[in-house]
Amino acid sequence: MQKTALITGITGQDGSYLAELLLAQGYRVVGMTRRTSTDVHERIQHLVEDIEIVSGDLLDQTSMTKVVQTVRPDEVYNLAAQSFVPTSWDQPVLTGEFTALGATRVLEAVRAVDPAIRFYQASSSEMFGKVTEVPQRETTSFYPRSPYGVAKVYGHWITVNYRESYDMYACSGILFNHESPRRGKEFVTRKITDGVARIKLGLAKELRLGNLDAKRDWGFAGDYVRAMWLMLQQGHPDDYVIATGRTHKVSDFVRIAFEAAGLGSYEPYVVVDPRFVRPAEVDLLIGDPSKAKRELGWEPEVSFEDLVAMMVAADIDRVAAAHR
Ligand code: NAP
Ligand code: G4F
C-alpha cells in the first residue's frame, strides 16, 4: 500500500530534500504551503508535477485540522517554522506562535483526526544554547539563548508530552546545523558561499559578517532528511540527536570557501560588522550522533570539506548564469 506523507514547510530547504527522498521511496507526497500573493516556490519547482500542494497555516488551527482531515497522511513531518535566529529577537511573539504553538496545532490536528498518524517534529541544537555538556546528546539539558531556541524547546517538550499523554508515535529530531546549495542566503554558510561567488566573479569586493569564532557542527541537509524518515520507521517513537560529531569555527568555513574558489586568504575581503553580532550567542555546538547510528543505522555521508566545496561551486554557477 502506498504511504502518504504530509510535509509542513515543504518550500523550505529541508522540505524540498525530504520531498525528493519520500518520492523516491514511492510515497504520495503532500506539501502544505501558506497563502502568499505570489507563487514563488523555487526549491520545489522541479517537483510540482509529482507532489500535491494544500493550503494551510501554522497560525490557524482550523486550517491545520482540515489539512490533516483531507490528506489523511500516514506520516506528518512538521518542518514549518520561523527558523532564522536573529529574526526571533525582532519578532519574538510571532516566533513563539509559529515555532512553539505551531507544533501544538499540528499535534492537535493529528490527535483529532487519527492519533495513529506518525509525527516528526523539527527540533534543534539551538535548544542546547549555552551548552552544559560537550558533546551534546539526547540527555543533555537545554539552555536556549534566543527566542527561537526557547520556542523550539516548547515544540520539543509538547511532542514528548503528546507521545506520553496520548500514546502517539511522535518523535523529535534534534538536528544540528545542516546546509546545502538550497540554504536561505541569510544563514551564515550560504551568505559566505554567495559572497565568495560574487567576489570571484568581480561583483563584490567584501563580505560583512558577525562573530567568526562561533563553532557549529555542520552537515549536509540531504543526509539529515534521511534521519527524519528513519525515525518514523521504527518499532517505537523516540528522540534522536542528528549531527556529524565534528565542529568548526565560522572562520574555518570562510577560509575553506575562499580557498575552494581559488581566492586565497579571506582576510583582505572579510569585514567584521557589529550589526551581525547577536545579543546572546551560542558559542559551541557539537553533537554526539551515536544513538542515531546505533538505533537507526544513520550516518552522514557528506564531509564538511565536501559540503563547503559543493556550496561554493553551486553559487559560482548560479551567479555566473544570472550575469551572463
Ligand atoms: P526554512 O528553509 O526556513 O523553511 C521554513 C519553512 O517553514 C518554509 O517552508 C516556510 O514557508 C514555512 N513556514 C514558516 N512559517 C509558516 C507558517 N506560519 N505556516 C506554514 N508554513 C510556514 O527552514 P529549514 O532549514 O528547511 O528547516 C526546517 C525545520 O527544521 C525548521 O523548523 C527549522 O527551525 C528546523 N531546523 C533546521 C536546522 C537547519 O540547520 N536547517 C537545524 C535544526 C532545526 P515559506 O516558504 O512560506 O516561508
Ligand atoms: O547560520 P546561522 O544563522 O545559524 P544558527 O543561528 O546556528 O541557526 C541555524 O541552525 C540551527 C541549528 O543549530 C537551526 F535550528 C536554525 O533554524 C538555523 O537553521 O548562524 C551560525 C553562526 C552563529 O553563531 C552566528 O552568530 O554564524 C554566526 N555568524 C557570524 N556572522 C553569522 C554571521 N550568522 C549569520 N546568519 N550571518 C552572519 O553574518
Side-chain angles (χ1 to χ4, degrees), residues 57-90:
D57 198 303
L58 284 184
L59 296 183
D60 183 56
Q61 183 68 60
T62 307
S63 71
M64 288 312 313
T65 308
K66 192 172 161 200
V67 163
V68 177
Q69 179 76 53
T70 313
V71 174
R72 284 294 181 146
D74 299 283
E75 298 169 7
V76 173
Y77 296 86
N78 183 36
L79 308 187
Q82 191 302 95
S83 73
F84 189 45
V85 172
T87 296
S88 76
W89 277 287
D90 295 333

Side-chain angles (χ1 to χ4, degrees), residues 9-15 32 34 43 56-59 79-83 98 122-124 148 152 175-179 183 187:
I10 194 163
T11 57
Q13 170 189 257
D14 292 6
M32 190 190 84
R34 51 184 167 165
R43 296 191 182 96
D57 198 303
L58 284 184
L59 296 183
L79 308 187
Q82 191 302 95
S83 73
F98 283 15
S123 287
S124 165
Y148 168 83
K152 280 291 180 187
L175 271 55
F176 283 61
N177 299 50
H178 45 279
E179 319 294 316
R183 185 60 140 153
F187 298 94

Side-chain angles (χ1 to χ4, degrees), residues 271-292:
V271 179
V272 173
D273 186 332
R275 282 184 304 147
F276 299 112
V277 175
R278 298 176 183 188
E281 178 63 283
V282 172
D283 294 318
L284 163 70
L285 290 175
I286 176 166
D288 173 2
S290 53
K291 179 177 171 187

Side-chain angles (χ1 to χ4, degrees), residues 162-230:
Y162 269 56
R163 179 167 77 219
E164 295 177 353
S165 303
Y166 304 117
D167 202 21
M168 285 167 57
Y169 193 111
C171 300
S172 266
I174 308 176
L175 271 55
F176 283 61
N177 299 50
H178 45 279
E179 319 294 316
S180 74
R182 297 183 202 167
R183 185 60 140 153
K185 281 190 210 146
E186 65 274 36
F187 298 94
V188 78
T189 56
R190 188 73 200 291
K191 184 174 170 183
I192 294 165
T193 60
D194 178 66
V196 162
R198 288 175 188 283
I199 291 169
K200 174 78 179 170
L201 297 167
L203 299 166
K205 290 192 165 42
E206 63 176 27
L207 174 59
R208 302 184 86 85
L209 295 170
N211 177 12
L212 299 184
D213 293 325
K215 290 176 147 182
R216 290 290 182 277
D217 179 333
W218 278 296
F220 171 53
D223 284 339
Y224 285 44
V225 298
R226 205 169 62 247
M228 298 176 187
W229 175 74
L230 282 167

